Amino acid sequence: MVVKIAISDPAEIIDQRIVEVAAYVNKSRRALVVTGAGISCSGGIPDFRSSDGLYNLVKARHPKTVLKGAELFDATLFKDANRTKCFYTFMAELKTLVSTAKPTATHRFLRDLQESGRLLRLYTQNIDDLEAELNLPVVQLHGTMATVKCTLCPSSYPFTSEYVDAFRQGDPPICPKCEAIGEERSLLGKRQLAVGTLRPDIVLYNEDHPNGDKIGLQQCSDIKRRPDLLIVLGTSLKIPALKKFVKLAARTVHENKNGIAILVNKTAPTKEWENVFDYQIMGDTDEWVQMTESKLADKPLLTAEWTRMLRRKAEFQRQQQKSTEEEEDDDEKENQTTVRLKKAKMSSTTTATTKRKAASGQTTLDGYKVTKLKRALSTSKGSSSSSSSQSLSSTKKAVK
């Protein structure tokens, strides 16, 4: 059964449920965590779609280019020069915001999980790289704004203010390595090769992740280690590949005796996730962290709650077992009744058939064979006697 909690509800309504979740977190030893943009908003990265957000800023700078927000993260924009300029302007403003942003309470909570030995792996869809400020190991599913990379060669460089200024004008800088190779070839009198430009080291829609295979192997490895807790924070889970991984992780977690899956997000999930998460907590991730941390600090409360939960779970299992046994008994009785009815019906049918045959004078097959045999013998004897009498009569006539 899914437990739904709205953080905005009064404390007396949700407090018990928050304690339950905290008890599970406290007992976890191999937690998988997946995070999205919702955990970074309070750190200084606002919603892109707000009235003063980045999307409107880009539109103001490039009024002649019609471009939806989502298209700024689509690799197909590089096919159009004007859209490409919009992209680089957007990246420059985003980097400026990221550079001044700070880790949130949710980031620090995840760092505490890691330091206490409870965190198996942290996967993030975010590109802000705020985890690095806390030395928090993370698998970056969509890349990072900490570096820029060449569009042709594998070179990458720190995303410095120099590159931010170039991007803000809508013109990507030349890759230093490609430029150096070109100069060297020119001195040697060789023909010039194509020169790459720099772009943020992030993964856009409609392009492959350069570390996709490596991430896939990491996910397989984590699943094999049988995680006992799944926490999804600040994301609506729209990306197909991530949805698949989260569902697999949840199934693996539920194979553990006390494993549960938790979702914390401002937006309620669709029905697709009804049987995936045990707890759906609607609200800000920082608020949930604050509530949970206060419970985690109360060890006697956690111990008492865990004991109560185990007792309640054992009672529920006993009730299920009893219900199952009763259903099995009912099924057995029903089967026995069905067998008796079938036997009675067969007996009744046999008796009725025998009576009909007797009424019509029909004998059994064996009786029929015996009767024919007797008749055959009787006929044979009659024929023999007649032949003997005729022979004797002929003899007497001859004597005379």
Side-chain angles (χ1 to χ4, degrees), residues 368-386:
Y368 176 74
K369 287 181 178 179
V370 170
T371 302
K372 290 205 66 175
L373 181 59
K374 287 181 178 180
R375 289 176 180 173
L377 289 174
S378 175
T379 303
S380 177
K381 285 180 181 181
S383 300
S384 178
S385 299
S386 176

Side-chain angles (χ1 to χ4, degrees), residues 14 66 74 90 100 102 115 123 141 144 151 171 205 222 301 323 347 351 366 390:
I14 65 173
V66 179
D74 195 311
F90 179 78
T100 58
K102 298 297 179 183
E115 291 180 347
Y123 292 88
L141 299 174
T144 173
T151 55
D171 298 318
Y205 296 117
D222 290 341
L301 174 65
S323 176
S347 176
T351 302
D366 288 342
Q390 290 177 0

Side-chain angles (χ1 to χ4, degrees), residues 26 32 38 67 101 169 198 247 288 315:
N26 182 61
L32 275 180
L67 193 63
Q169 303 305 316
L198 298 180
K247 289 178 181 179
W288 171 74
E315 179 60 28

Side-chain angles (χ1 to χ4, degrees), residues 30-282:
R30 298 179 303 279
L32 275 180
V33 180
V34 177
T35 63
I39 75 167
S40 297
C41 291
S42 64
I45 303 178
D47 184 356
F48 295 160
R49 296 174 178 82
S50 60
S51 58
D52 59 346
L54 295 184
Y55 289 161
N56 286 331
L57 176 61
V58 171
K59 289 179 182 179
R61 293 202 175 188
H62 302 276
K64 295 182 180 180
T65 302
V66 179
L67 193 63
K68 295 180 181 179
E71 293 174 341
L72 287 168
F73 290 96
D74 195 311
T76 59
L77 62 81
F78 291 116
K79 297 178 180 179
D80 182 274
N82 290 329
R83 292 189 173 197
T84 301
K85 286 182 176 292
C86 288
F87 168 76
Y88 283 115
T89 299
F90 179 78
M91 289 296 116
E93 300 303 333
L94 179 57
K95 177 60 179 177
T96 301
L97 282 176
V98 168
S99 299
T100 58
K102 298 297 179 183
T104 66
T106 302
H107 288 97
R108 291 189 289 273
F109 169 74
L110 297 176
R111 192 238 353 241
D112 292 342
L113 277 184
Q114 193 264 335
E115 291 180 347
S116 64
R118 295 188 179 95
L119 183 63
L120 171 60
R121 194 78 57 209
L122 168 61
Y123 292 88
T124 186
Q125 300 176 87
N126 298 339
I127 57 177
D128 50 41
D129 204 40
L130 292 179
E131 296 83 7
E133 293 193 31
L134 299 175
N135 295 317
L136 179 60
V138 61
V139 177
Q140 293 168 323
L141 299 174
H142 296 161
T144 173
M145 290 290 286
T147 57
V148 292
K149 65 179 182 180
C150 178
T151 55
L152 287 182
C153 75
S155 301
S156 63
Y157 305 91
F159 200 157
T160 63
S161 58
E162 177 186 355
Y163 294 139
V164 172
D165 292 338
F167 286 160
R168 186 170 283 113
Q169 303 305 316
D171 298 318
I174 300 296
C175 168
K177 185 173 182 179
C178 288
E179 188 175 31
I181 292 175
E183 291 175 355
E184 182 179 349
R185 290 180 66 86
S186 179
L187 292 174
L188 295 174
K190 295 182 178 180
R191 66 182 180 84
Q192 292 296 306
L193 300 177
V195 177
T197 58
L198 298 180
R199 53 164 279 191
D201 194 4
I202 61 175
V203 182
L204 303 176
Y205 296 117
N206 294 310
E207 71 176 353
D208 295 330
H209 197 306
N211 299 319
D213 292 340
K214 183 178 179 181
I215 292 175
L217 291 174
Q218 183 67 71
Q219 291 175 337
C220 290
S221 175
D222 290 341
I223 292 297
K224 288 180 180 179
R225 293 179 66 182
R226 294 176 56 80
D228 56 10
L229 177 65
L230 172 65
I231 307 178
V232 177
L233 301 168
T235 173
S236 299
L237 297 171
K238 300 294 186 182
I239 307 300
L242 183 60
K243 288 167 63 173
K244 183 178 180 180
F245 172 65
V246 167
K247 289 178 181 179
L248 175 60
R251 286 198 299 270
T252 305
V253 164
H254 288 143
E255 291 174 0
N256 284 277
K257 184 178 180 181
N258 297 309
I260 66 162
I262 306 166
L263 170 69
V264 185
N265 194 41
K266 287 184 176 180
T267 306
T270 61
K271 292 184 178 180
E272 176 184 5
W273 301 99
E274 283 291 330
N275 297 320
V276 177
F277 295 105
D278 302 282
Y279 290 85
Q280 295 180 2
I281 304 173
M282 302 301 101

